[in-house]
Amino acid sequence: MNIILFGPPGAGKGTQADILQKQHSLCKLSTGDMLRAAVTSGSPLGAQVKDIMAKGQLVPDSIMIDLIRGRIQQPDCHPGFILDGFPRTVAQAEALDAMLTSEKKKLDYVIELQVDDAELVRRIAGRFSCAKCGAGYHDQSKQPRQPGVCDACGSREFTRREDDKAETVSKRLEAYHRQTAPLLPYYRTQGILKSVDGMADIDAVTRQIDQVLRVRTKVAENS
Ligand code: AMP
């Protein structure tokens, strides 16, 4: 099963991708995480994209396509994958379609998480994560159980994303509306777009996504 989790920054794609990955044994391809890991490791790719990312701009398509193709070919992606943060432009979506066709794969669902801009700004402004294991937290809605200690790994170091600063967030939201939202009609025409209410709490969003995927499983069982 191959899925795109679609939506603006802060919509909860990463959170839901983590849950789906565990529930369905799919590989998670979160392009933002992959690029941040490259920056942290100091690799040549990281050096190429560091400044672009800090400004909230998009990394060139050729880099993104190579990154995704390389991962999709790995054995852990054979059962299926979840894309989070890719594609972000119609050109990337067309390149993805061409690549999947050449790999004899196809997309099953594009699941859109719908969230208001005001809520996105609130979510992004408060989010932080464990510097060691990446577990996500939020100033208002999800503090670690023991203050200053990561629930998942016990680390005491936390970090905030460079591009989560207010001035960069507005640029990223503007880029989403201008460049990424036009992908919705692209996937609606293909008949694979499903929209869920991303304003709901995490468990409720997961249940809505489950419902979408259950319909597909039933159709597959009956055919
Ligand atoms: P994200 O974690 O998805 O918000 O991505 C963080 C940053 O990584 C973006 O602001 C871009 O600079 C870069 N990035 C992630 N995915 C893509 C993509 N599909 N195309 C271009 N740049 C990307």
Side-chain angles (χ1 to χ4, degrees), residues 4 19 33 52 54-55 58-59 76 80 90 140 145 169-170 182 198:
I4 294 177
I19 296 169
D33 287 352
I52 300 174
K55 288 184 205 146
L58 291 187
V59 169
D76 64 317
V90 172
Q140 278 103 46
R145 283 192 294 272
V169 169
S170 56

Side-chain angles (χ1 to χ4, degrees), residues 31-32 35-36 52-53 56-59 64 85-86 88 92 161 163 172:
T31 45
L35 294 168
R36 278 186 290 279
I52 300 174
M53 291 178 73
Q57 294 168 351
L58 291 187
V59 169
M64 297 311 303
F86 181 90
R88 262 174 153 94
Q92 288 185 359
R161 281 172 50 170
D163 61 352
R172 289 165 60 207

